[in-house]
Amino acid sequence: MNVFQLLLTKNETMYLEENITVSTAMDQLRASGYTAVPVIREDGTYAGTVSEGDFLWAFLDGKDEDAKGQAMTLQTIVRTDRNPAVKIDVDLAQLFSEALNQNFVPVVDDRNMFIGIVTRKQVISFFMNHFNQIMDKK
């Protein structure tokens, strides 16, 4: 078993690009129905995560526009300290440990290129299936 069996690839995953405006990003997050999503840089590397709360604080703190009234980009509010990414060759025990503390675990390759996520739901489903197989053998 490896991370590829649990991975939702980049093309199956909702993510935002850090160079879009805060307002556009908020609209896209709202339309998706998710509460937090990964953010990637223009070069495809993982930048961090943004959540509904980050948008709330950005608007309350006036971070959606600069001093000239120009729309700010998402990179001004992206959280780099939340949802740390794991490498594609991560040990499954480490992956499962990360999933305990966050709704999804971003996965990157050796160049830090974002390749997808593993959700907590996928991890729980894996364990449920494994448990059911054990119980069926009894």
Side-chain angles (χ1 to χ4, degrees), residues 6 18 67 79 105 119 121 128:
L6 298 171
E18 72 173 358
R79 298 278 305 264
V105 180
T119 66
K121 179 180 179 180
M128 284 180 58

Side-chain angles (χ1 to χ4, degrees), residues 14 25-37 51-52 55:
M14 165 66 176
M26 184 188 65
D27 290 342
Q28 290 179 11
L29 181 68
R30 184 176 185 191
S32 76
Y34 296 117
T35 59
V37 295
S51 71
E52 292 173 326
F55 288 105

